[in-house]
């Protein structure tokens, strides 16, 4: 796509052209690594550190400069041959196009403070999902809850004698459904990954919601490990650990 061929048709500049191609191969490899690190840090994952990302960015910028230097040397070779001059000009033009296309990938990484805030938000989202699941578990264990649970994300209201349920209780039921759906969405968005099917991770354990959630997360984790999706693996392990902690606190099973 760059317009540079792997063969140098004329002897002058042959060594510079070989080094140019080698430098470009290193650039392509570094672009892949740096892009992966940047994506990970901007999503709050702990797979890479900010220092690792900045080291790779410096390496990538340095390698781009090497590519530019060798293309300048090739373009500066004196020649009386129109054919050779055209080849040298084409190499320089193609290299400039390559650099213009790839230099945006060296965009600076977020600051450490910003990364910490992203990680904090992800952790809070995970804890919120766990809290909703815990409330579900407590509600399952207590089929006759009190009129109001202090600190709960929803309020339980007893049926009214006239028409079955009051307006407030209907709103409560809707809020409860929304809370459940949000928790499920966070699990699907945070742990599921693109292209995963729910059929492959149906829980073997039926009964308590937390036990079913544990089996679902383990199914997702097996799929992530099989597909070598490292970012999802780290997130799933973290959330599975929190689920297991909740199960132990509730004394549901020996994990």
């Amino acid at each position: 796509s760059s317009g540079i061929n792997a063969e140098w048709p004329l002897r002058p500049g042959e060594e510079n052209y070989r080094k140019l191609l080698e430098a470009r191969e290193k650039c392509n490899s570094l672009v892949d690594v740096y892009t992966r690190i940047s994506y990970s840090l901007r999503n709050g994952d702990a797979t890479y550190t900010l220092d690792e990302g900045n080291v790779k960015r410096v390496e990538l910028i340095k390698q781009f400069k090497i590519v530019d230097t060798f293309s300048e040397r090739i373009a500066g070779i004196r020649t009386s041959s129109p054919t050779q001059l055209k080849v040298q000009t084409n190499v320089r033009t193609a290299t400039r196009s390559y650099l213009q296309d790839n230099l945006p990938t060296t965009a600076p990484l977020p600051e450490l403070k910003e990364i910490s805030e992203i990680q904090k938000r992800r952790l809070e989202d995970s804890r919120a999902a766990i809290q909703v699941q815990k409330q579900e578990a407590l509600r399952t264990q207590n089929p006759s809850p009190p009129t109001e649970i202090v600190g709960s994300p929803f309020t339980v209201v007893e049926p009214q004698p006239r028409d079955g349920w009051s307006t407030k209780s209907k709103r409560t039921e809707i809020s409860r459904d929304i809370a459940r759906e949000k928790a499920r969405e966070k699990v699907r968005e945070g742990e599921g990954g693109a292209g995963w099917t729910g059929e492959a991770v149906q829980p073997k354990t039926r009964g308590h919601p937390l036990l079913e959630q544990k089996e679902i997360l383990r199914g997702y984790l097996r799929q992530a490990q099989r597909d070598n999706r490292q970012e999802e693996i780290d997130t799933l392990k973290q959330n599975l650990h929190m689920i297991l902690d909740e199960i132990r606190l509730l004394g549901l099973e020996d994990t």
Side-chain angles (χ1 to χ4, degrees):
S1 60
S2 65
I4 299 179
N5 297 319
E7 296 181 0
W8 180 251
L10 302 172
R11 183 165 294 277
E14 197 170 286
E15 181 65 15
N16 283 327
Y17 188 72
R18 182 183 65 80
K19 290 181 178 179
L20 170 63
L21 293 178
E22 290 176 354
R24 275 197 48 179
E25 286 300 314
K26 291 181 181 178
C27 282
N28 292 338
S29 177
L30 285 169
V31 165
D32 291 340
V33 173
Y34 183 71
T35 300
R36 186 164 60 250
I37 293 175
S38 178
Y39 177 84
S40 176
L41 292 174
R42 293 176 193 281
N43 281 274
D45 294 325
T47 308
Y48 305 98
T49 66
L50 182 58
D51 287 341
E52 287 176 318
N54 285 328
V55 167
K56 289 300 178 184
R57 180 171 183 264
V58 171
E59 290 180 12
L60 181 55
I61 292 174
K62 181 179 179 181
Q63 206 62 41
F64 278 144
K65 290 180 179 178
I66 292 174
V67 169
D68 190 48
T69 297
F70 282 120
S71 74
E72 280 184 340
R73 290 180 183 177
I74 291 171
I77 295 174
R78 293 184 179 182
T79 178
S80 58
S81 168
T83 301
Q84 182 172 325
L85 180 60
K86 182 178 180 180
V87 170
Q88 292 173 198
T89 302
N90 287 344
V91 169
R92 179 58 177 161
T93 301
T95 300
R96 283 177 174 172
S97 177
Y98 169 80
L99 293 173
Q100 288 173 356
D101 289 342
N102 287 276
L103 278 174
T105 62
T106 63
L109 296 169
E111 298 291 336
L112 186 60
K113 181 180 179 181
E114 182 180 350
I115 294 174
S116 297
E117 291 174 352
I118 294 172
Q119 292 174 338
K120 182 179 178 181
R121 285 197 298 270
R122 287 194 61 172
L123 182 59
E124 288 174 349
D125 288 343
S126 297
R127 286 176 175 171
I130 295 294
Q131 183 64 22
V132 172
Q133 292 161 0
K134 184 177 179 180
Q135 294 293 340
E136 290 277 356
L138 292 174
R139 207 165 53 80
T140 302
Q141 287 182 326
N142 298 300
S144 299
T147 302
E148 184 172 358
I149 303 176
V150 179
S152 172
F154 48 81
T155 302
V156 180
V157 180
E158 298 295 337
Q160 301 298 315
R162 269 190 183 177
D163 54 357
W165 289 94
S166 68
T167 303
K168 183 178 179 182
S169 67
K170 291 176 182 177
R171 289 199 303 267
T172 298
E173 189 66 22
I174 294 172
S175 299
R176 182 184 306 147
D177 291 340
I178 293 173
R180 291 178 192 167
E181 186 57 29
K182 284 185 177 179
R184 295 189 185 101
E185 286 177 0
K186 288 184 184 300
V187 172
R188 288 196 295 268
E189 294 172 1
E191 292 108 297
W196 291 9
T197 61
E199 184 180 3
V201 291
Q202 286 298 320
K204 297 179 181 177
T205 305
R206 292 290 179 183
H208 199 284
L210 284 180
L211 297 181
E212 293 185 9
Q213 188 61 47
K214 177 195 69 175
E215 293 301 323
I216 291 173
L217 287 175
R218 283 178 172 170
Y220 282 143
L221 182 58
R222 284 193 294 272
Q223 283 191 334
Q225 290 170 334
R226 185 169 59 249
D227 297 338
N228 196 28
R229 301 167 68 94
Q230 189 57 50
E231 294 177 9
E232 285 83 355
I233 289 172
D234 294 337
T235 302
L236 286 166
K237 283 183 176 179
Q238 182 184 42
N239 287 313
L240 180 58
H241 179 72
M242 288 189 288
I243 285 283
L244 293 174
D245 284 345
E246 293 293 331
I247 290 174
R248 280 192 291 269
L249 285 173
L250 294 173
L252 296 176
E253 69 169 15
D254 184 9
T255 56

